[in-house]
Amino acid sequence: MASLAERTEQARRCGALRFVPTSMEVIEQSGIAFQVRIVESLARKETATAAGSNANPFLPFDPDLFVAPISPTHIALLNKFNVVERHLLIVTRSFEDQRSQLTQKDCEALLIALTEIDGLAFYNAGREAGASQPHRHLQVLPIDAIGPLPIDAVLRFAHPQEPVGAVPGLPFNHAYAPMDPDWTNPEKISGASFHACYRQLLRAVGLSVDAATGSQAPTTPYNLLVTRKWAFLVPRSRECFRDISINALGFAGSLLVKDRSQAETLRRVGPLTALRHVTIPTPP
Ligand code: AMP
């Protein structure tokens, strides 16, 4: 996706892109240096207004935000309200419910994006998992834009004996799987293999898995995070810790707050404790 930087520049120039300025603080807990981004006051009103709209922003999408076709079923768009540079949305061409399980075609689109961009792909399955839009969208942030992921400090201790396992020290139900390097090799991309891995992650945390490949039933909310090296899935109990909305990025170690008082709450309570409150306890 060589055109990503170029498309970003064009979208910025024509006003389609609304960068949300933030300042950043680091708050450490249990060996993880969480990055807490605080929205600057002038940007708060505009993002709140945008979030309040009921129209589907992806159907039709704004052509000024279009980046590239990904596959016959998915396209790549720029996130209109980006906090991090080159934030990409991988959106289904026709409406699919954000709460239903990912299909093989979603998995294929995610892998295609990750072969092009060394990034963090993530999925907020449902409102309680932090999704603001009901139309199916995966998201990708380039690692060179977001920086090293704080969660890697603990993920590097995960060495599951099985294809899917747990990460020592994380105080909530989750499942981790190393990624097979072949899955993001452009010659060998296999949506089927990664889809099977995704279904194993769901099973490992106790979520039901649809029998049909093209599933439609809403599931329990969860967050999925995927890089070229690993995949990580966390079931959710609720969207917010107090008034702080948490999505998949929280589980990468990166939290977004509306103001300094929310950042202060995280400093007092600890970001890992906040994550524990919006998840499900580790089964005995
Ligand atoms: P989420 O909130 O995680 O469900 O992700 C949806 C993303 O879509 C949000 O981060 C919004 O910034 C973004 N968004 C909202 N409206 C538009 C739009 N018109 N075009 C592209 N992205 C949008």
Side-chain angles (χ1 to χ4, degrees), residues 16-18 20 47 50-51 53 55-62 65 77-83 87-89 91 98 122-127 129-135 137-139 223 245 247-249 256:
L17 209 62
R18 317 264 178 83
V20 180
T47 37
S53 161
N56 182 349
F58 308 141
L59 204 63
F61 58 83
D62 178 347
L65 296 171
L77 300 178
L78 291 168
N79 183 332
K80 186 172 183 66
F81 304 99
N82 65 314
V83 169
H87 183 161
L88 213 57
L89 304 177
V91 175
Q98 184 75 0
F122 62 97
Y123 187 64
N124 303 321
R127 188 161 283 280
S132 63
Q133 300 299 332
H135 182 131
H137 58 286
L138 298 126
Q139 312 192 38
N223 294 119
S245 174
N247 71 11
L249 291 180
L256 180 68

Side-chain angles (χ1 to χ4, degrees), residues 62-194:
D62 178 347
D64 287 327
L65 296 171
F66 179 80
V67 177
I70 294 276
S71 68
T73 47
H74 291 71
I75 55 165
L77 300 178
L78 291 168
N79 183 332
K80 186 172 183 66
F81 304 99
N82 65 314
V83 169
V84 171
E85 287 290 330
R86 291 167 283 137
H87 183 161
L88 213 57
L89 304 177
I90 311 293
V91 175
T92 51
R93 290 176 190 258
S94 53
F95 183 84
E96 304 260 353
D97 193 319
Q98 184 75 0
R99 296 165 306 166
S100 56
Q101 280 178 22
L102 294 181
T103 63
Q104 197 170 307
K105 293 197 183 313
D106 294 317
C107 290
E108 190 185 58
L110 178 150
L111 293 182
I112 292 171
L114 280 184
T115 58
E116 297 267 343
I117 299 165
D118 185 9
L120 168 69
F122 62 97
Y123 187 64
N124 303 321
R127 188 161 283 280
E128 299 90 337
S132 63
Q133 300 299 332
H135 182 131
R136 171 77 47 90
H137 58 286
L138 298 126
Q139 312 192 38
V140 182
L141 288 171
I143 294 287
D144 67 357
I146 192 173
L149 303 180
I151 197 69
D152 269 327
V154 290
L155 293 191
R156 67 199 167 93
F157 295 117
H159 301 290
Q161 302 302 310
E162 307 289 322
V164 166
V167 181
L170 286 183
F172 45 76
N173 190 11
H174 67 275
Y176 168 93
M179 288 285 279
D180 184 328
D182 273 357
W183 297 346
T184 46
N185 174 338
E187 311 287 305
K188 299 182 180 171
I189 287 180
S190 168
S193 306
F194 178 60

Side-chain angles (χ1 to χ4, degrees), residues 134-275:
H135 182 131
R136 171 77 47 90
H137 58 286
L138 298 126
Q139 312 192 38
V140 182
L141 288 171
I143 294 287
D144 67 357
I146 192 173
L149 303 180
I151 197 69
D152 269 327
V154 290
L155 293 191
R156 67 199 167 93
F157 295 117
H159 301 290
Q161 302 302 310
E162 307 289 322
V164 166
V167 181
L170 286 183
F172 45 76
N173 190 11
H174 67 275
Y176 168 93
M179 288 285 279
D180 184 328
D182 273 357
W183 297 346
T184 46
N185 174 338
E187 311 287 305
K188 299 182 180 171
I189 287 180
S190 168
S193 306
F194 178 60
H195 190 239
C197 169
Y198 158 72
R199 286 156 66 88
Q200 279 183 306
L201 290 166
L202 287 173
R203 276 194 207 96
V205 296
L207 296 185
S208 63
V209 175
D210 293 327
T213 341
S215 66
Q216 293 312 322
T219 56
T220 306
Y222 64 88
N223 294 119
L224 174 69
L225 296 85
V226 188
T227 67
R228 289 178 177 176
K229 299 211 168 82
W230 47 256
F232 180 50
L233 190 142
V234 184
R236 294 288 299 271
S237 56
R238 57 186 65 82
E239 179 195 346
C240 293
F241 169 69
R242 305 207 181 145
D243 57 347
I244 303 171
S245 174
I246 296 178
N247 71 11
L249 291 180
F251 298 91
S254 173
L255 293 139
L256 180 68
V257 295
K258 287 189 191 144
D259 52 37
R260 299 221 154 256
S261 106
Q262 290 191 335
E264 207 32 59
T265 300
L266 287 178
R267 190 173 289 285
R268 238 184 4 257
V269 176
L272 192 60
T273 309
L275 296 184

Side-chain angles (χ1 to χ4, degrees), residues 19-75:
F19 181 69
V20 180
T22 55
S23 56
M24 198 175 72
E25 285 184 10
V26 173
I27 304 179
E28 194 166 332
Q29 188 181 9
S30 301
I32 306 170
F34 286 89
Q35 296 171 347
V36 178
R37 288 186 166 81
I38 308 162
V39 176
E40 287 183 6
S41 53
L42 285 176
R44 252 172 250 150
K45 195 168 162 218
E46 186 178 17
T47 37
T49 316
S53 161
N54 280 331
N56 182 349
F58 308 141
L59 204 63
F61 58 83
D62 178 347
D64 287 327
L65 296 171
F66 179 80
V67 177
I70 294 276
S71 68
T73 47
H74 291 71
I75 55 165

